Amino acid sequence: VFEEGGGEEDVEEGGLEYPIICKPLDAAGTPGSHRMSIIMSPSGLVSLPPRSILQSYINHSSLLFKTYVLGSNVRVFTRKSLPNIKGGEGRLEFDSQKEYPGWKEFGMESYEEVKEEDKPILERGVYEEIAERIRVEFGVSLFGFDVVVGSGDGEVRVV
């Protein structure tokens, strides 16, 4: 968690690598709860909102799997997401409830879209297993989570 007055030492202490995604700690429904930033270099850490969560950004072929759970019912929808990012300077802010910024907004000169046959496909059981773990750990029956699959390593991550 990034506190007011934090900076590069928070990044180093957390073992994070650039680019970094900055998410507000505020819960959904509060003003600014969907304002996020991609921090591409230390200069992007200036004037971050206090009480934010910093995570290393995972390139994920522009695919986000939105997963919604009601009891034992699990529904998964694919959403176009942020592009695979290759370096850069500063910070790019966006609202996660609106269309995500594309490769041009990140200052890239070109971008190769992932071919349909190369897009990751996860078995339904993967989402159901994650949902069951969340249901048991937190004692909830109505919730949602997002899944990405790392472009370089194919690792499934809940974000």
Side-chain angles (χ1 to χ4, degrees), residues 9-153:
E9 59 278 355
D10 290 325
V11 171
E12 290 174 15
E13 188 176 297
L16 302 176
E17 295 181 19
Y18 292 97
I20 295 169
I21 188 164
C22 176
K23 303 175 184 181
L25 196 57
D26 293 337
T30 59
S33 63
H34 296 281
R35 295 290 308 160
M36 296 188 188
S37 301
I38 300 295
I39 303 163
M40 292 161 286
S41 65
S43 65
L45 292 170
V46 177
S47 302
L48 281 181
R51 310 263 317 134
S52 298
I53 297 171
L54 301 181
Q55 298 172 305
S56 293
Y57 180 80
I58 304 298
N59 282 325
H60 55 281
S61 304
S62 301
L63 284 175
L64 181 66
F65 299 95
K66 305 287 292 177
T67 309
Y68 302 95
V69 181
L70 173 59
S72 62
N73 295 313
V74 178
R75 300 282 186 250
V76 181
F77 301 90
T78 303
R79 178 179 179 190
K80 185 168 175 55
S81 185
L82 296 163
N84 289 346
I85 301 171
K86 302 172 187 171
E89 284 297 317
R91 173 173 85 221
L92 181 66
E93 296 181 355
F94 63 97
D95 185 325
S96 66
Q97 289 199 310
K98 297 181 180 171
E99 187 174 336
Y100 289 129
W103 56 271
K104 290 180 182 175
E105 286 87 355
F106 284 96
M108 292 185 266
E109 294 180 18
S110 66
Y111 186 75
E112 187 175 326
E113 292 288 337
V114 177
K115 296 174 190 156
E116 196 63 38
E117 62 269 16
D118 293 335
K119 291 182 179 177
I121 298 173
L122 299 176
E123 297 291 326
R124 181 164 184 73
V126 172
Y127 303 103
E128 291 171 344
E129 183 180 325
I130 294 168
E132 181 63 18
R133 290 180 70 183
I134 292 171
R135 188 177 11 260
V136 169
E137 281 294 316
F138 297 102
V140 293
S141 60
L142 174 63
F143 58 94
F145 58 91
D146 297 337
V147 172
V148 297
V149 179
S151 296
D153 59 13

